[in-house]
Amino acid sequence: MFSNHLNWIGKLLLLILVVGILSSCSQSPKTFLGIKYLDFPEEKHLSAQVIELDTALFRYPFRIRIEGDKAIVMDLHGSDYYGHLFQYPSFRYLSSFGRRGDSPTEMLSMENFRLYNHELWTLDANKSELTRLDFSSSGDSLLREETVTLDEDILRPLDFAIYNDTTFVIPDYSGESRFLKVNCKGKLIEKIGAIPTANEKALQEARPALAQAWRSFLDYNSRNGVLAAVTQLGEVVEVYNLKDSTHVVRIGEHNEPEFKISDGYGVPTGIMGFSDVQVTDSAIYAVFHGTSFKEIARQSGRLPDGGKYIYVFSLQGEPLCKYVLDHYIYGIWVDEATKTIMATDVNSDQPIVKFSFGSV
C-alpha cells in the first residue's frame, strides 16, 4: 500500500501537465476575491480509535461512506476491485464491487462514489461513465444496474455530486465555468459559476490549466441545498447555496491554488490543500493537508500521506473549529448525531480510524 505514497501526487502533476497545453483566450468571466480567514474560534485535538479489520484489501483507501448498517470504502488504486462493502459498526467484510478491467462491465478507475436513495453511484473518469449499483436482497453485495456515458464535451470528470433524482453536478475542467449540471442521460444541461481566481492572466490565456490547478473535491446536501467545494491545491473553500443562488468564497492563509506555466504546461506549486469534504445538515467538514510541494520533494516519500486537520465551517462558510488529529487521513464520513468521524488512513495496514468529537 505504501509504494503508492507519491502516486496520487504524480497523477495530479501529470493531469495538470497534459491539460496545460490547452488554452483559452476568450473573454474572462467576472472574478471576485474571496473573504480571508486566518484562524478558527476553536481548536481541539482528537485521538483516533483504530478499527481492526480481519482482511487485507486496500492499497490506497481513499473514501468512506456509511449508511445504516453498511460501510463502503473506496480503494483509489485497487488491484482487483475499487470498492469494498462491510458490516457496520463491526467492519466485518462482506463483498467487493467495481472490478478493475477494461471489459464493458469493469472499471478503469473510480474517482468517487455516492449513496443516494439507498443506491450507489460510481464515477469512472477513464471511461467517462457513471454507474448505478443496488444492494442485493440479502444486503451483502452491490449489483450493477445501469451505466451512463457522459457527453464527449465534458472534459475528464474527476468528481461528482448528486443534485436530485435526475441531475448530477460535475466540476468543469475546461475552465469556462465552475460546475456543470448533467442529466441522468449524461447530457450537459447547465453551467454554473466561474473560477473565483484573482489570476486574470490565467483566465485569459490558460483556462484549462487554471481549472486543473483549481481541481476541487465537492459534496452536496439536498436537504439544505448547500454545495461545498474545496481545492486540492492551496486553501479555498467555496459554498454555493443552490436554493437561493448565493456563493461564498473563503480563502485561508495558503491562498488560492498556485501553478506556473512552463513551456506551455501548467506545473503546480504551493501546497497540497484539501482531500475530502462533507456537507452535513448543520456544517461543512473538510480534511486539510497544508504540506508544501517543496517539502514533499525534499522528504521524498518519508512524510506521512494525508492531512492531520479537519476544518469545520458553517453552511455560510464561516470558520467554526479546527480539529488537530493524531493520524494523517484522506477521506471522512461524519455522523453528527453520534458525534463520530470515520476516516481512511493510507499509511497503515489498519486503514480505518474513528474519531469522537463534541459539539462545534
Side-chain angles (χ1 to χ4, degrees):
M1 179 168 67
F2 313 123
S3 64
N4 291 295
H5 178 84
L6 293 179
N7 195 16
W8 177 236
I9 296 172
K11 284 190 173 183
L12 168 68
L13 292 166
L14 176 62
L15 185 60
I16 295 178
L17 290 172
V18 169
V19 180
I21 61 175
L22 304 173
S23 63
S24 172
C25 296
S26 58
Q27 181 66 34
S28 63
K30 180 181 180 181
T31 63
F32 51 91
L33 297 178
I35 305 169
K36 295 287 290 186
Y37 70 89
L38 296 177
D39 210 346
F40 290 80
E42 287 190 83
E43 180 176 311
K44 300 179 181 179
H45 291 254
L46 300 181
S47 297
Q49 172 190 344
V50 177
I51 305 299
E52 299 289 336
L53 301 182
D54 58 5
T55 182
L57 293 169
F58 300 104
R59 296 178 66 195
Y60 205 94
F62 192 61
R63 291 286 179 262
I64 182 168
R65 306 271 189 270
I66 294 170
E67 182 172 283
D69 64 350
K70 299 295 187 296
I72 304 171
V73 182
M74 174 192 141
D75 189 348
L76 187 67
H77 302 315
S79 54
D80 297 312
Y81 292 91
Y82 290 109
H84 304 284
L85 178 65
F86 297 86
Q87 192 76 29
Y88 181 78
S90 69
F91 274 91
R92 178 175 60 86
Y93 170 73
L94 296 175
S95 61
S96 299
F97 64 95
R99 186 175 183 86
R100 183 172 186 162
D102 55 8
S103 79
T105 60
E106 294 175 328
M107 303 185 72
L108 294 176
S109 66
M110 188 186 291
E111 268 55 55
N112 207 344
F113 70 91
R114 302 287 180 183
L115 287 162
Y116 185 78
N117 285 345
H118 307 294
E119 295 179 321
L120 183 140
W121 284 88
T122 67
L123 171 63
D124 184 338
N126 290 332
K127 285 188 172 183
S128 198
E129 289 179 349
L130 289 163
T131 298
R132 179 173 61 86
L133 300 96
D134 201 356
F135 287 92
S136 64
S137 57
S138 61
D140 60 1
S141 61
L142 283 156
L143 307 176
R144 185 186 182 99
E145 297 287 341
E146 174 189 7
T147 296
V148 175
T149 300
L150 299 174
D151 272 350
E152 292 183 359
D153 55 354
I154 298 175
L155 183 62
R156 188 175 171 79
L158 294 174
D159 202 357
F160 77 109
I162 299 175
Y163 179 66
N164 57 28
D165 291 341
T166 62
T167 310
F168 304 99
V169 178
I170 295 174
D172 181 7
Y173 289 110
S174 73
E176 294 180 4
S177 63
R178 192 67 176 106
F179 301 104
L180 308 172
K181 280 188 177 179
V182 178
N183 69 16
C184 57
K185 301 299 183 182
K187 305 298 182 183
L188 173 63
I189 55 176
E190 184 183 350
K191 296 184 177 182
I192 303 172
I195 300 172
T197 180
N199 191 342
E200 292 283 351
K201 183 177 180 181
L203 275 171
Q204 293 278 352
E205 301 173 0
R207 282 195 192 177
L210 179 69
Q212 292 298 330
W214 274 76
R215 177 190 178 170
S216 296
F217 301 108
L218 64 154
D219 192 40
Y220 177 69
N221 186 319
S222 59
R223 291 180 294 275
N224 52 36
V226 172
L227 173 72
V230 294
T231 55
Q232 187 178 20
L233 305 178
E235 189 177 348
V236 182
V237 177
E238 294 177 77
V239 182
Y240 292 80
N241 189 312
L242 299 185
K243 290 186 176 180
D244 63 16
S245 299
T246 58
H247 177 207
V248 175
V249 182
R250 292 283 181 177
I251 302 178
E253 63 175 306
H254 297 283
N255 298 310
E256 68 175 75
E258 297 178 15
F259 72 105
K260 62 182 179 181
I261 300 293
S262 177
D263 296 327
Y265 295 88
V267 180
T269 58
I271 67 154
M272 287 291 288
F274 297 94
S275 63
D276 200 9
V277 61
Q278 182 179 341
V279 181
T280 67
D281 289 347
S282 63
I284 299 165
Y285 297 76
V287 179
F288 185 69
H289 295 213
T291 311
S292 71
F293 278 97
K294 287 182 179 179
E295 183 66 11
I296 293 170
R298 189 177 70 83
Q299 294 281 359
S300 187
R302 296 188 298 273
L303 284 175
D305 197 1
K308 63 177 297 185
Y309 308 101
I310 295 175
Y311 288 177
V312 187
F313 300 87
S314 74
L315 297 177
Q316 294 73 41
E318 296 285 345
L320 298 177
C321 183
K322 176 167 71 173
Y323 291 123
V324 182
L325 314 176
D326 65 347
H327 280 62
Y328 287 78
I329 64 171
Y330 251 93
I332 55 171
W333 175 82
V334 181
D335 183 352
E336 289 184 318
T338 61
K339 304 300 180 185
T340 298
I341 299 173
M342 305 300 300
T344 60
D345 176 358
V346 303
N347 306 284
S348 173
D349 289 331
Q350 295 291 346
I352 309 300
V353 295
K354 175 182 177 180
F355 298 95
S356 296
F357 66 98
S359 300
V360 175

